[in-house]
Amino acid sequence: MRSHGYRKLFSGGILGVIGYLLSPLSWWNDAFINIPIAYGFAWLISLLDRPLFVPALVFFYWVTNIAGFVLLHKGIEKIAQKGNDKRRYSRKDFLKDLAISIAYTTLIIALAKMKIIVPPGEF
């Protein structure tokens, strides 16, 4: 019985840490985690169709941020859970996370439009 609590704490902690690293709550994550992940996937998409680079960059950037918030929320929820008490990730939680991601995405679009972020080969 006692090991179940540690397992829940450990797995919730892992989810929370991964979520924190992907979420825009850490000031450094964009430069070292989210943008490189989004850039990598956008680069792969641009190999198929070059004009899709910026839309793919934005899409995958959103995915990393939203995934970060969801994982952070789920990790904290798992750690804080008592017994069978399960709080669901609500629509309101999702909309709040989406709004924050849109704000950060606006910055990414501006950086791409100013040619600070460009596809490989255009350096």
Side-chain angles (χ1 to χ4, degrees), residues 4-121:
H4 177 67
Y6 290 120
R7 191 175 18 201
K8 193 167 70 168
L9 180 66
F10 181 74
S11 63
I14 294 293
L15 282 176
V17 167
I18 293 169
Y20 177 75
L21 292 174
L22 288 172
S23 79
L25 298 177
S26 55
W27 61 269
W28 52 269
N29 81 322
D30 281 340
F32 296 105
I33 298 174
N34 291 31
I35 293 174
I37 290 171
Y39 185 86
F41 281 110
W43 175 73
L44 290 173
I45 297 296
S46 75
L47 292 175
L48 300 172
D49 190 1
R50 194 157 189 77
L52 288 179
F53 176 77
V54 172
L57 181 67
V58 169
F59 174 77
F60 288 112
Y61 179 74
W62 271 3
V63 168
T64 60
N65 277 289
I66 293 169
F69 278 128
V70 170
L71 290 172
L72 181 60
H73 183 85
K74 288 293 188 185
I76 292 169
E77 182 179 82
K78 193 170 202 171
I79 291 170
Q81 225 173 48
K82 291 186 169 106
N84 290 332
D85 177 31
K86 291 189 176 185
R87 183 181 173 273
R88 295 250 179 230
Y89 186 70
S90 71
R91 180 180 171 102
K92 182 180 177 182
D93 293 329
F94 176 76
L95 292 174
K96 180 184 75 172
D97 293 347
L98 183 63
I100 292 169
S101 292
I102 288 170
Y104 275 94
T105 301
T106 303
L107 174 64
I108 295 300
I109 291 170
L111 292 172
K113 293 288 184 184
M114 292 185 293
K115 304 284 187 206
I116 294 171
I117 299 176
V118 296

